[in-house]
Amino acid sequence: MTGEVKFLQGNEACFEGALKAGARFYAGYPITPSSEIAEMASQRLPAVGGVFIQMEDELASMAALVGASMAGAKAFTATSGPGFSLMQENLGLAIMTEAPCVVINVQRSGPSTGLATKPAQADVMQARWGTHGDHAIITLCPTSVQECYDLMIYAFNFSEKFRTPVIFLSDEIVGHMREKVVLRDDIPVINRPFPQGDPKQYMPYKPGENKVPPMAYFGSEYVFHASSSMHDETGYPNNTAQNADKVIRRLYEKIYDHRDEISIIKEFETKDADVLFISFGSAARSSREAVNMMRKDGIKAGLLQINTIWPFPDKKVRQLISHAKVVLVPEMNLGQIINEVRKLSEGKPVFGVNKVDSTIITPGEIVNKAKEVLQNA
Amino acid sequence: MPKKIFDYIIEDRLPFFWCEGCGNGIILKSIAKAFADLDLDPKNVVVVTGIGCWGKADDYLSTNSLHVTHGRALAAATGVKAVNPELKVIALMGDGDGLTIGGNHFIHAARRNMDITAIISNNFNYGMTGGQYSGTTPEPSFTSTSRYGSIEPPFDICALAKAAGAPYVARATVYHVNLLEKYIKNAILKKGFSVVDVINICPTYYGRFNKLKSPVDMMNWLKNNATTKLEEGDIYNNKFAIGEFVNEDKLDFSTKYASIQKNARELSIHLEQDLSGR
Ligand SMILES: Cc1ncc(C[n+]2csc(CCOP(=O)(O)OP(=O)(O)O)c2C)c(N)n1
Ligand code: SF4
Ligand SMILES: [Mg+2]
């Protein structure tokens, strides 16, 4: 790891990662606990020739991202639950028009206004299915300030490579904690594929490599139509059943065909683990400490930390579960990721460690639950 | 070579999907005519549309276009313009799209003075979904969801745009085509947020519900109720003032932002010092 060393907040590191990835457009509407990202963007983007704009709401912010992306910019926004709900409409627009962009949701406790300054991890399924219609989505979760920086670059890279919005699902704990971070310069930056050949023949939605259509920008020689309505390779509407089937499947497959590449996971002491924790975000930090505590007590515990929650890393989860005696899923909600794990557990018991009182899940609470489960096993 | 209407309208994509007698074709032709007269290069034009009958106008255009969600055309157009101020960005919206579900974006785009031209097909109802009332439906007219007569006062689009700060605001009707073409041209030429409120006819729904059965009846209705004496207009009572309400010069968002970008490197260092000194 090479690069400048800093002591930053998770939210600040998100901004640094975005900037490093080449982000030059931010549109957003302030909301706790994400506002630091907007504040930094307003200060820093113009200095690199970028644009920050504070929109009238999150519906507009998300729509502006799509416009900016089509005009050629790497675009992003940051919000929290209430704003993320409003963004669902035009998140669909970004999916349908294949507009690369990154949406940061620093999760807070809901429903609705909820506990505005307190953490939660309850938007897991909203990230997956919040916008209507069949679709695929990529969602990354950071567990540390360093990961805020690193994964932000990956988020942009995936969005550019696959021409898709990417959701960056942080939480209040990770967003507001301060840690050492290396502003790495060793992660390669990927840019969207640009079309080649005769501009008159350009078909803006004709799939290229990886089922992803090369992307022009407004103002280039390649004039194009982009549409929220069902369209064919020309970008103009096409309402035939055959075309709809083709488009919806391609939009899904361009992501699901690359699950292995998109899946970012980290394993801690999983090789011989009898007790396997599967967790993400801030809960994964506590889980890691729980592993240390249990190992000290002579219990073989391990952690699978999932950074890419969508698409869910089925293969890895299935493989690790098959070796474990018991599986526990700590998460700050009433059980969302656990359902994905259960689908793969083939009858092996999977237990939740859930908390929704807006306080962090402590390592001790995880250890206690694991021991209780072991006793009854 | 001088440009022609069919340099912008794709002949192969005709006929229009709109009903016979719909006024949308008149507005689209006026827009293409304005593009041609202004000799715009299609690659530097981005037409952003929302959802509705009028929102399908981009289907026939050879320029760049971005067809977005219902009500959000101006928000998407703001993103396009902010990234590349050189582009001519035109937002085509219905009265439902642009002023009802999208009303908030409309006033803020005007306030922000984004250099975008908004051309609104104001047919006083939601044509696309079967003629329900919109935020501009006059009181007490009849629509498929106001069968006893609408009781909600309508927006006066021009008054609203003016109050929100738009530097160019005009109204024409699809009967007054010469004016329409002129205002569209002026609006495109204006640097800043420009609005053309085009009073349009929807014989299929608004006409049928309001005893204006044929397109000819509707055209006569426009002809008889329009006035170029702006002070005599009363949009609330179907008296359409047509003309230019605002035409002034005012720095637009992108021009101002460019100076921020220019100074930002230096400024941003000072800001950092300020913050660390707290
Ligand atoms: C969020 C959302 N709500 C409702 C609709 C359904 N809808 C489609 S077009 C439309 C109204 C169109 O009216 P207007 O903007 O006046 O355009 P017109 O059809 O009259 O040209 C509505 C309500 C939609 N597409 N999206
Ligand atoms: S419903 Fe009305 S607005 Fe829509 S195409 Fe028909 S006449 Fe035009
Ligand atoms: Mg209408």
Side-chain angles (χ1 to χ4, degrees):
Chain A
M1 245 197 263
T2 59
E4 197 184 343
V5 180
K6 290 238 181 188
F7 186 66
L8 295 179
Q9 207 185 44
N11 282 347
E12 293 168 341
C14 280
F15 177 80
E16 295 291 355
L19 197 67
K20 185 77 187 173
R24 291 296 179 270
F25 182 84
Y26 181 103
Y29 189 87
I31 186 167
T32 303
S34 75
S35 298
E36 294 84 5
I37 303 173
E39 289 164 7
M40 277 184 91
S42 77
Q43 188 185 329
R44 302 267 303 277
L45 282 180
V48 294
V51 177
F52 164 88
I53 186 164
Q54 188 167 300
M55 298 300 288
E56 50 274 20
D57 58 34
E58 290 85 350
L59 296 159
S61 305
M62 195 63 220
L65 247 56
V66 173
S69 181
M70 290 292 166
K74 289 191 183 179
F76 73 123
T77 188
T79 189
S80 190
F84 193 53
S85 290
L86 291 189
M87 285 179 185
Q88 297 307 321
E89 176 190 67
N90 293 313
L91 189 64
L93 174 66
I95 291 169
M96 195 60 158
T97 56
E98 302 183 62
C101 55
V102 176
V103 177
I104 303 168
N105 172 2
V106 187
Q107 292 169 98
R108 69 189 220 185
S109 175
S112 192
T113 309
L115 291 158
T117 61
K118 299 283 170 59
Q121 294 180 293
D123 303 345
V124 168
M125 296 313 291
Q126 187 188 23
R128 178 65 191 88
W129 289 116
T131 196
H132 62 279
D134 265 320
H135 62 273
I137 195 82
I138 298 173
T139 303
L140 306 184
C141 292
T143 71
S144 66
V145 175
Q146 185 67 50
E147 281 182 0
C148 282
Y149 177 84
D150 295 355
L151 292 179
M152 221 27 214
I153 302 176
Y154 283 104
F156 273 98
N157 282 352
F158 291 151
S159 81
E160 293 284 312
K161 179 164 182 184
F162 300 111
R163 282 192 68 174
T164 178
V166 171
I167 294 167
F168 194 86
L169 202 61
S170 182
D171 59 60
E172 192 276 337
I173 296 168
V174 175
H176 280 164
M177 72 178 153
R178 287 184 183 274
E179 284 182 320
K180 182 187 125 176
V181 54
V182 184
L183 304 183
R184 300 168 60 172
D185 43 28
D186 59 345
I187 303 174
V189 166
I190 296 174
N191 296 321
R192 59 193 73 169
F194 190 74
Q196 274 159 14
D198 182 1
K200 287 204 176 58
Q201 306 297 320
Y202 177 49
M203 300 255 257
Y205 289 93
K206 189 177 157 75
E209 211 183 325
N210 302 324
K211 299 182 180 165
V212 177
M215 184 172 175
Y217 55 88
F218 291 147
S220 77
E221 292 301 318
Y222 296 85
V223 175
F224 68 97
H225 260 62
S227 180
S228 63
S229 298
M230 184 54 73
H231 48 268
D232 59 25
E233 295 179 352
T234 64
Y236 287 90
N238 179 331
N239 292 344
T240 63
Q242 191 194 14
N243 179 65
D245 184 76
K246 200 166 118 184
V247 170
I248 293 169
R249 286 181 195 280
R250 179 178 66 74
L251 290 178
Y252 188 87
E253 286 163 5
K254 73 175 180 180
I255 290 170
Y256 273 78
D257 283 359
H258 295 91
R259 290 177 80 143
D260 290 347
E261 177 184 343
I262 297 166
S263 281
I264 301 170
I265 50 162
K266 287 180 187 159
E267 293 177 59
F268 301 96
E269 317 253 15
T270 52
K271 290 238 159 54
D272 60 346
D274 293 330
V275 177
L276 176 68
F277 297 116
I278 299 178
S279 190
F280 61 100
S282 55
R285 294 175 71 93
S286 299
S287 305
R288 222 169 128 179
E289 182 53 24
V291 168
N292 292 337
M293 287 162 72
M294 292 180 78
R295 287 269 165 183
K296 275 194 197 122
D297 286 352
I299 305 167
K300 288 180 188 154
L303 165 69
L304 170 62
Q305 173 185 308
I306 301 176
N307 290 112
T308 304
I309 60 165
W310 305 118
F312 196 70
D314 285 10
K315 225 197 274 176
K316 195 73 208 179
V317 169
R318 195 179 273 124
Q319 180 205 329
L320 287 182
I321 289 180
S322 68
H323 299 134
K325 286 207 178 91
V326 291
V327 179
L328 292 102
V329 181
E331 50 186 333
M332 290 180 73
N333 58 48
L334 290 177
Q336 297 192 19
I337 282 290
I338 196 171
N339 293 324
E340 300 307 307
V341 176
R342 281 195 175 128
K343 281 180 203 162
L344 306 165
S345 66
E346 287 168 5
K348 190 162 291 184
V350 181
F351 301 89
V353 185
N354 307 97
K355 219 169 161 185
V356 289
D357 65 359
S358 83
T359 63
I360 194 164
I361 305 181
T362 64
E365 286 166 337
I366 297 172
V367 170
N368 287 345
K369 178 76 185 194
K371 285 186 173 163
E372 180 194 313
V373 163
L374 275 177
Q375 246 165 27
N376 300 334
Chain B
M1 220 177 42
K3 293 240 175 27
K4 304 178 302 295
I5 286 170
F6 282 109
D7 289 330
Y8 302 94
I9 291 180
I10 307 171
E11 233 172 319
D12 288 353
R13 299 196 60 85
L14 302 181
F16 294 135
F17 115 113
W18 298 312
C19 307
E20 270 176 50
C22 177
N24 286 349
I26 297 172
I27 312 178
L28 192 62
K29 185 192 159 196
S30 301
I31 292 171
K33 177 88 172 26
F35 286 176
D37 289 354
L38 298 173
D39 194 30
L40 299 185
D41 184 342
K43 76 166 194 277
N44 294 328
V45 177
V46 182
V47 172
V48 186
T49 55
I51 304 295
C53 293
W54 179 229
K56 282 186 75 67
D58 64 284
D59 287 5
Y60 310 100
L61 289 172
S62 64
T63 61
N64 290 296
S65 79
L66 180 56
H67 178 63
V68 300
T69 40
H70 189 34
R72 318 297 168 214
L74 284 171
T78 295
V80 174
K81 187 73 195 187
V83 168
N84 186 352
E86 301 302 313
L87 297 169
K88 282 278 180 209
V89 182
I90 322 283
L92 308 183
M93 303 168 294
D95 47 309
D97 196 39
L99 270 298
T100 312
I101 191 168
N104 198 32
H105 310 309
F106 182 82
I107 54 176
H108 285 282
R111 175 187 62 77
R112 212 175 263 134
N113 199 16
M114 291 307 296
D115 180 23
I116 295 169
T117 297
I119 301 173
I120 297 139
S121 156
N122 187 1
N123 58 11
F124 306 117
N125 76 156
Y126 294 165
M128 183 74 138
T129 44
Q132 298 83 5
Y133 69 90
S134 80
T136 68
T137 304
E139 208 178 336
S141 53
F142 299 87
T143 69
S144 62
T145 48
S146 60
R147 299 301 289 266
Y148 304 103
S150 158
I151 55 167
E152 300 178 20
F155 271 141
D156 174 339
I157 294 176
C158 293
L160 188 65
K162 183 178 173 180
Y168 184 88
V169 181
R171 179 184 292 125
T173 82
V174 291
Y175 176 80
H176 303 85
V177 178
N178 289 339
L179 278 187
L180 179 59
E181 282 171 10
K182 185 172 129 190
Y183 297 159
I184 289 175
K185 242 186 282 181
N186 287 352
I188 293 172
L189 287 173
K190 173 63 62 181
K191 194 146 178 77
F193 191 67
S194 52
V195 178
V196 185
D197 175 14
V198 188
I199 307 293
N200 194 7
I201 58 171
C202 171
T204 303
Y205 295 113
Y206 193 74
R208 198 156 49 90
F209 279 112
N210 291 284
K211 301 201 171 76
L212 296 160
K213 284 225 168 67
S214 74
V216 176
D217 290 343
M218 291 213 84
M219 281 294 190
N220 280 325
W221 173 67
L222 295 182
K223 184 178 153 191
N224 297 333
N225 288 297
T227 169
T228 50
K229 297 200 181 93
L230 297 186
E231 64 288 353
E232 285 179 10
D234 181 4
I235 191 95
Y236 304 104
N237 289 305
N238 289 321
K239 192 94 184 127
F240 314 121
I242 53 175
E244 287 178 329
F245 293 82
V246 185
N247 191 353
E248 62 189 35
D249 291 320
K250 206 179 200 183
L251 285 183
D252 71 302
F253 175 91
S254 296
T255 305
K256 288 187 188 168
Y257 203 84
S259 64
I260 288 189
Q261 286 171 323
K262 222 169 128 203
N263 298 325
R265 227 173 271 275
E266 202 190 323
L267 272 174
S268 135
I269 294 163
H270 291 311
L271 286 175
E272 223 141 293
Q273 285 165 348
D274 284 353
L275 292 177
S276 58
R278 270 206 304 225

